[in-house]
C-alpha cells in the first residue's frame, strides 16, 4: 500500500518505471512533482517532457509540476569527497559512477523537498536492475534512513514488479553473468506484473514491452558514462566474486557515502554547500 498526502516528489527519468510510478501516485497525492536531473554527460534531458505531457493529458494539467535540476557540482563532490580514504577502505568502488550519480540526485531531492515542503519521495527503482547500486534493496534501505533523518518518507512503488522480457544489453549481460549464481530469468511481457504491461493497460504505452526500445529511449535522457560502471562491476569486480559479495561491499561503500551526505545536507546553509546544492 502506497502512502498518500498533499504532495510527492518523483525522481523522473521519463522511462517506463518512473512514468508508471507517477501514474500510480497521482491517485494518492494532490500534486506530483516530477523532478528530472541534468549534469555533464547527460544528453536529451528534455525528452522527459514527452511523458510529462502524456501524464498531464491523461490525469490533468494541474496535477503535475515538472522541474529540471542540475547536479554537476554535487555529483563531483559525491564522487570525490574522501577520495583516497574511500579507495583505501573500499577499493575501486569510486568507479561506481551510476550509483554515485543517483546518490547526488537523492541528496538534491531532499533539498528540493525541504524547500517545497514535500514529505514524500518515490522513484522507479525495480528489483530487476540487479547491478545498479541505487536499485539494490540494502542500498535503498540506507537511502530510506537518509530521507527519514530529514522527516521525509522515501518509497518504491514498482520495486517488487517483474522485469520485462526485452531487457537492454546491460541487463542481458547481467543475467548471463549471474546465471551461475542463481536462477535469474527475465519475465515475459505477458506477465501483468511488469511495469510495461501496467503502462500499456493504462494507455500510456503502445505495447506491453517498451523498456529499452527506441520508443523508450526517446522519452528519457541518455548517459553513456555507465560504461565505466559496467567495466568496474562486470569485467573487474564480478570476474572473481559472487553477486552476494558485490551487494555486501556495495552497501558498505554507500552506507559511508550516505553518512557524509547527511552531514552535507545538515550544513546546507553554509555558503559553499549552498552553491553546490542550488
Amino acid at each position: 500500500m502506497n502512502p498518500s498526502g498533499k504532495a510527492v516528489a518523483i525522481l523522473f527519468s521519463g522511462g517506463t518505471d518512473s512514468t508508471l510510478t507517477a501514474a500510480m501516485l497521482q491517485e494518492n497525492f494532490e500534486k506530483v512533482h516530477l523532478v528530472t536531473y541534468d549534469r555533464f554527460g547527460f544528453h536529451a534531458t528534455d525528452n522527459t517532457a514527452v511523458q510529462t505531457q502524456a501524464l498531464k493529458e491523461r490525469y490533468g494539467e494541474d496535477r503535475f509540476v515538472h522541474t529540471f535540476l542540475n547536479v554537476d557540482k554535487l555529483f563531483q563532490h559525491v564522487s570525490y569527497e574522501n577520495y583516497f580514504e574511500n579507495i583505501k577502505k573500499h577499493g575501486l568502488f569510486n568507479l561506481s559512477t551510476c550509483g554515485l550519480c543517483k546518490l547526488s540526485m537523492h541528496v538534491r531531492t531532499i533539498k528540493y523537498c525541504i524547500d517545497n515542503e514535500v514529505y514524500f519521495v518515490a522513484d522507479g527503482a525495480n528489483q530487476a536492475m540487479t547491478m545498479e547500486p541505487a536499485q539494490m534493496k540494502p542500498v535503498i534501505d540506507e537511502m530510506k534512513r537518509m530521507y527519514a533523518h530529514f522527516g521525509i518518507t522515501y518509497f518504491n512503488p514498482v520495486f517488487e514488479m517483474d522485469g520485462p522480457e526485452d531487457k537492454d544489453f546491460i541487463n542481458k549481460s547481467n543475467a548471463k553473468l549471474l546465471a551461475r549464481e542463481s536462477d535469474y530469468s527475465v519475465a515475459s511481457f505477458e506477465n501483468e506484473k511488469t511495469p510495461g504491461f501496467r503502462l500499456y493497460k493504462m494507455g500510456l504505452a503502445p505495447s506491453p514491452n517498451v523498456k529499452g526500445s527506441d520508443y523508450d529511449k526517446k522519452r528519457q535522457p541518455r548517459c553513456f558514462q555507465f560504461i565505466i560502471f559496467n567495466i568496474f562491476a562486470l569485467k573487474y569486480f564480478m570476474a572473481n566474486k559472487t553477486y552476494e559479495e558485490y551487494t555486501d561491499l556495495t552497501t558498505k561503500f554507500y552506507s559511508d557515502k550516505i553518512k557524509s551526505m547527511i552531514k552535507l545536507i545538515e550544513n546546507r546553509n553554509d555558503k559553499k554547500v549552498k552553491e553546490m546544492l542550488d
Side-chain angles (χ1 to χ4, degrees):
M1 179 72 69
N2 293 320
S4 60
K6 184 177 180 181
V8 61
I10 297 174
L11 282 75
F12 187 69
S13 70
T16 303
D17 299 327
S18 63
T19 299
L20 178 58
T21 297
M24 292 170 61
L25 294 185
Q26 59 81 30
E27 298 179 359
N28 298 56
F29 293 88
E30 297 175 23
K31 185 74 70 175
V32 178
H33 295 251
L34 306 175
V35 186
T36 296
Y37 287 98
D38 191 14
R39 66 170 177 82
F40 179 79
F42 281 13
H43 304 275
T45 53
D46 56 346
N47 281 354
T48 55
V50 177
Q51 290 299 74
T52 299
Q53 187 58 35
L55 289 165
K56 288 182 176 181
E57 289 176 358
R58 174 56 59 92
Y59 302 111
E61 186 80 22
D62 61 338
R63 300 298 310 287
F64 300 91
V65 176
H66 192 192
T67 302
F68 291 85
L69 297 174
N70 186 283
V71 288
D72 265 323
K73 292 181 180 179
L74 182 56
F75 174 58
Q76 290 176 27
H77 176 78
V78 172
S79 298
Y80 296 112
E81 61 92 27
N82 295 327
Y83 189 79
F84 293 108
E85 180 180 332
N86 281 322
I87 288 179
K88 183 178 180 180
K89 185 175 181 180
H90 299 287
L92 295 180
F93 271 86
N94 283 318
L95 296 177
S96 182
T97 51
C98 294
L100 294 170
C101 177
K102 186 57 70 69
L103 178 56
S104 69
M105 294 179 186
H106 280 292
V107 170
R108 185 61 183 87
T109 300
I110 291 174
K111 173 66 162 50
Y112 178 89
C113 289
I114 292 172
D115 291 345
N116 292 279
E117 298 183 344
V118 176
Y119 302 103
F120 295 93
V121 170
D123 62 12
N126 182 269
Q127 63 180 344
M129 301 293 286
T130 54
M131 300 298 291
E132 167 62 50
Q135 305 202 48
M136 293 177 176
K137 191 177 185 308
V139 177
I140 287 175
D141 288 341
E142 294 292 330
M143 296 280 197
K144 288 180 178 179
R145 282 188 276 273
M146 177 174 68
Y147 276 101
H149 184 84
F150 297 97
I152 301 168
T153 299
Y154 166 52
F155 61 108
N156 319 97
V158 304
F159 185 79
E160 298 294 337
M161 293 187 182
D162 294 333
E165 181 181 75
D166 186 17
K167 302 175 85 67
D168 59 26
F169 81 90
I170 299 176
N171 287 304
K172 287 178 180 177
S173 298
N174 294 346
K176 183 177 179 181
L177 185 67
L178 298 177
R180 301 189 306 272
E181 307 297 334
S182 67
D183 294 324
Y184 181 87
S185 61
V186 295
S188 168
F189 69 84
E190 295 177 353
N191 186 342
E192 295 185 11
K193 294 181 180 180
T194 63
F197 190 94
R198 290 284 301 275
L199 277 183
Y200 175 67
K201 296 296 287 186
M202 290 176 170
L204 290 168
S207 78
N209 195 25
V210 297
K211 191 176 182 70
S213 67
D214 288 340
Y215 172 91
D216 193 31
K217 292 174 183 177
K218 291 177 180 178
R219 282 155 175 76
Q220 56 185 317
R222 308 299 297 154
C223 178
F224 300 98
Q225 292 175 346
F226 72 85
I227 294 172
I228 299 173
F229 167 74
N230 223 29
I231 292 172
F232 162 72
L234 297 176
K235 304 300 182 182
Y236 167 72
F237 196 91
M238 292 293 293
N240 53 20
K241 288 185 172 61
T242 66
Y243 179 71
E244 288 71 23
E245 289 176 302
Y246 171 69
T247 302
D248 181 58
L249 293 174
T250 297
T251 303
K252 289 178 180 177
F253 173 68
Y254 280 95
S255 178
D256 280 355
K257 279 288 183 181
I258 286 169
K259 289 174 185 175
S260 296
M261 293 305 105
I262 289 174
K263 293 179 181 178
L264 181 78
I265 300 169
E266 287 177 338
N267 293 322
R268 60 187 176 276
N269 292 323
D270 177 84
K271 184 178 179 180
K272 290 184 178 180
V273 176
K274 191 173 182 179
E275 289 177 357
M276 194 185 306
L277 292 175
D278 285 344

